[in-house]
Amino acid sequence: MYAQLVKSDAIKSREDMSPEERAFQDRVDAGEKIEPKDWMPEGYRKTLVRQIGQHAHSEIVGQLPEGNWITRAPTLERKAILLAKVQDEAGHGLYLYSAAETLGVSRDELLEKLHSGKMKYSSIFNYPTLNWADMGAVGWLVDGAAIMNQVPLQRTSYGPYSRAMIRICKEESFHQRQGYSIMMKMAFGTPEQKEMAQDAMNRFWYPALMMFGPSDKDSVHSAQSMAWKIKINTNDELRQKFVNETVPQAEYLGLTIPDENLAWNEEKQGYDFSEPDWSEFFEVIKGNGPCNRERLGDRVKAWEDGAWFRDGLNAYAERAAERRRAASVAAE
Amino acid sequence: MSKKEWPLWEVFIRGQHGLNHRHVGSLHAPDAEMAINHARDVYTRRKEGVSIWVVPSKEITASSPSEKGPLFDPAESKTYRHPTFFDIPEEVGKM
Ligand SMILES: [Fe+2]
Ligand SMILES: [Fe+2]
C-alpha cells in the first residue's frame, strides 16, 4: 500500500521464541499497545522502521503529483482546497517520521535513504498527472485506496504508529471527498469533461489496485507482520474491499471501470476483477516507472535548495541562545 | 549542505478554554519560536486548539517500563481511596 513491499522476517513459532519474545507476543495478542521504551524484538523494530519510513516517504512524495496542479486549479476555491489537501499530506509525513523516530532512527537519516534510493515510496506516485481530472481521480481512487489500508492500521500494536494513523484517518476522508467532488463536476459536465474523467479513471484504475501490493500468493513473510499486528489485513483482502466499494461510486458517476472481467459474484458477495499487470508494478518499484526519476529528482532538489534556509534558522537560533546566555551572565 | 539536524520538540495543545494542555505529538524546529510556528501549522489546522506549549524532547524525563510495578502497583490495594468503597445507608440521603 503506502508501504507495499516491506521486507520482514519469517514467522517464529512459539517454541522458538525466547521468554522475552513470548511475553512480547502475549502482550500483542492481548491487544496491548507497545510503547517506545518497552522491550521489543529487533525484527519488530526493524520492520516497523521500514514500514513507517516507506509510508512517511509516500506521504511527502505524494505531494508532488498534486502540487503540479495547485497553480493550475480551475477556480480559486478549488485551488484553496487542493492546497489544504497537499498541506495535510506534509503533516501526515511529519506524524509518521515522528513515529519512526521513536524507534531510534532520525528523520534526516530516513530522508537520506529516500534521496539515495535505499528506501522506497508507493509506486502510485510514479505516474503522471496530466490534467485537472487527474486531481479528481487521485483524491477519489488513490486517497480512497490509502484509507482502506489506514483505517485498520489504527489498531496496530505499536502505540506511536497507531496514534499517527488515527490522526491521519481523521483527515483522509476530506481528501477522498474533494476528489470525488471534482469527478462529479467533470462527469456531469460537458461531453469533453466527461471524457477527461473517464480517461483519468482508465489511467489510474490499475495503478490504484497495485497500491495494495502483490497478490497474497506472492507476498513474502506477511505472516510475521500479521502476528505482530503491524499488518492487519492481507493485500488481496484490502484490494477486494476497495473494488467492492469503488464500483458503485463509479456507476453513480456514469464512468466505466476499464476491466472487461469485472462482474458481481453472488457467492463471494464481491466483484470479480482482473489483476493489474504485476510486471509493470515491479518495474515501477525498481525505478523504471514513467516518473520515478522526476519525482526523486524534485525531492532531492527541494531538500538541497532548502539547505540555506535550514542553516539560516539554525544560525539564528544559536545566536539568540548566545545572546540569552550573555544577558544572564551580565545580570548576575 | 547542512548536517545539523533541528532538535525535536514535544507539542502540547489546549483544545478548549478550561481544559488541560494535552500531548499531541512532536516535531523538529531550530528554536522554541519556530517550534510554535510549526506546531500551529501541523497540529491546529482545523481549530484543534487555543494555546500551544512546546518542550525540548530531551528535557522530558520519563519513568521506565521496568519501574511500572514499584510505581503503580501500590495503588491497586487501596480501593478505600474511591468513594464507592463506602456504603452509606440510603436514609442518609445524597452524599
Ligand atoms: Fe495522507
Ligand atoms: Fe490523503
Side-chain angles (χ1 to χ4, degrees):
Chain A
M1 140 73 17
Y2 270 22
Q4 292 162 312
L5 276 177
V6 181
K7 255 194 280 159
S8 102
D9 304 341
I11 190 160
K12 235 184 199 180
S13 70
R14 220 174 150 78
E15 299 83 73
D16 293 339
M17 289 181 191
S18 68
E20 281 132 317
E21 285 171 328
R22 226 169 287 146
F24 175 85
Q25 189 61 52
D26 288 342
R27 290 188 62 199
V28 171
D29 292 343
E32 271 183 48
K33 293 283 181 238
I34 308 302
E35 294 297 339
K37 287 187 146 194
D38 296 346
W39 186 89
M40 61 187 80
E42 190 49 24
Y44 178 83
R45 199 189 65 80
K46 276 200 184 136
T47 311
L48 268 177
V49 168
R50 285 193 205 109
Q51 180 171 332
I52 301 174
Q54 256 187 51
H55 194 155
H57 297 330
S58 299
E59 299 286 351
I60 61 163
V61 176
Q63 294 182 290
L64 298 170
E66 287 175 303
N68 183 40
W69 285 91
I70 291 173
T71 53
R72 300 176 175 90
T75 67
L76 188 56
E77 186 185 54
R78 289 288 183 194
K79 177 176 180 168
I81 293 171
L82 186 61
L83 191 59
K85 194 262 185 201
V86 171
Q87 192 189 13
D88 275 354
E89 305 299 4
H92 296 179
L94 181 129
Y95 307 152
L96 288 160
Y97 285 123
S98 298
E101 287 192 286
T102 64
L103 294 160
V105 281
S106 79
R107 182 174 68 178
D108 286 10
E109 254 173 270
L110 290 171
L111 284 176
E112 193 284 314
K113 284 192 177 151
L114 168 68
H115 295 159
S116 62
K118 283 186 211 115
M119 279 182 91
K120 305 279 181 215
Y121 54 89
S122 177
S123 59
I124 189 74
F125 302 118
N126 292 313
Y127 290 86
T129 47
L130 303 177
N131 60 52
W132 179 251
D134 288 12
M135 293 303 95
V138 167
W140 170 37
L141 299 172
V142 175
D143 289 78
I147 291 171
M148 276 300 151
N149 179 262
Q150 289 167 347
V151 166
L153 276 177
Q154 294 178 99
R155 291 182 281 117
T156 184
S157 62
Y158 190 55
Y161 191 24
S162 154
R163 291 190 284 274
M165 277 302 141
I166 291 170
R167 197 167 274 286
I168 286 173
C169 284
K170 272 193 198 146
E171 301 181 348
E172 281 297 350
S173 174
F174 148 56
H175 298 179
Q176 192 183 18
R177 282 165 171 243
Q178 66 86 35
Y180 197 72
S181 142
I182 293 173
M183 285 313 255
M184 287 200 289
K185 197 85 186 166
M186 305 282 292
F188 303 144
T190 64
E192 289 83 0
Q193 282 177 306
K194 183 167 184 186
E195 211 182 295
M196 283 168 75
Q198 180 65 56
D199 172 61
M201 156 124 232
N202 292 350
R203 282 180 290 108
F204 277 96
W205 176 250
Y206 288 104
L209 294 186
M210 291 177 199
M211 288 174 67
F212 298 94
S215 167
D216 294 349
K217 47 185 193 296
D218 307 317
S219 250
V220 275
H221 299 330
S222 68
Q224 181 61 78
S225 290
M226 291 185 93
W228 280 334
K229 291 193 191 155
I230 56 185
K231 189 177 169 92
I232 310 287
N233 303 93
T234 72
N235 298 350
D236 286 338
E237 274 167 21
L238 291 171
R239 193 167 11 247
Q240 180 71 58
K241 203 162 173 260
F242 173 73
V243 172
N244 292 350
E245 281 189 23
T246 308
V247 171
Q249 296 165 0
E251 276 168 2
Y252 179 81
L253 295 171
L255 298 183
T256 311
I257 292 191
D259 180 0
E260 287 167 4
N261 299 317
L262 188 89
W264 177 253
N265 181 329
E266 188 61 33
E267 202 180 312
K268 74 171 183 189
Q269 287 295 299
Y271 288 90
D272 290 331
F273 58 93
S274 304
E275 297 234 340
D277 176 357
W278 291 117
S279 62
E280 175 182 321
F281 169 76
F282 286 109
E283 275 306 303
V284 176
I285 289 284
K286 258 192 266 164
N288 303 323
C291 299
N292 293 59
R293 236 167 263 170
E294 183 187 336
R295 299 290 185 240
L296 207 54
D298 285 349
R299 263 308 313 164
V300 171
K301 185 174 185 307
W303 179 249
E304 285 173 356
D305 288 355
W308 69 271
F309 181 72
R310 293 191 300 278
D311 289 344
L313 287 175
N314 268 335
Y316 176 83
E318 274 161 28
R319 291 277 168 76
E322 263 165 42
R323 268 199 301 276
R324 274 196 306 276
R325 266 195 302 276
S328 74
V329 168
E332 268 162 23
Chain B
M1 207 180 88
S2 160
K3 281 276 161 269
K4 190 171 176 261
E5 283 187 42
W6 287 349
L8 197 64
W9 301 74
E10 298 303 320
V11 181
F12 299 80
I13 305 253
R14 186 199 295 286
Q16 280 170 43
H17 292 289
L19 295 184
N20 290 321
H21 283 77
R22 270 186 55 190
H23 183 243
V24 294
S26 44
L27 49 76
H28 287 272
D31 59 20
E33 191 188 342
M34 284 304 293
I36 297 253
N37 286 336
H38 288 172
R40 173 237 180 227
D41 286 347
V42 179
Y43 292 110
T44 66
R45 289 200 307 285
R46 290 178 175 79
K47 300 186 68 162
E48 288 95 338
V50 295
S51 161
I52 301 172
W53 288 350
V54 292
V55 182
S57 304
K58 64 175 195 318
E59 298 296 336
I60 289 189
T61 310
S63 65
S64 98
S66 62
E67 290 170 323
K68 213 173 117 202
L71 286 177
F72 308 116
D73 286 356
E76 222 159 87
S77 57
K78 297 178 180 60
T79 48
Y80 47 81
R81 285 185 166 164
H82 297 277
T84 45
F85 180 79
F86 305 94
D87 288 323
I88 304 292
E90 229 166 84
E91 304 91 279
V92 177
K94 193 170 177 287
M95 184 180 282

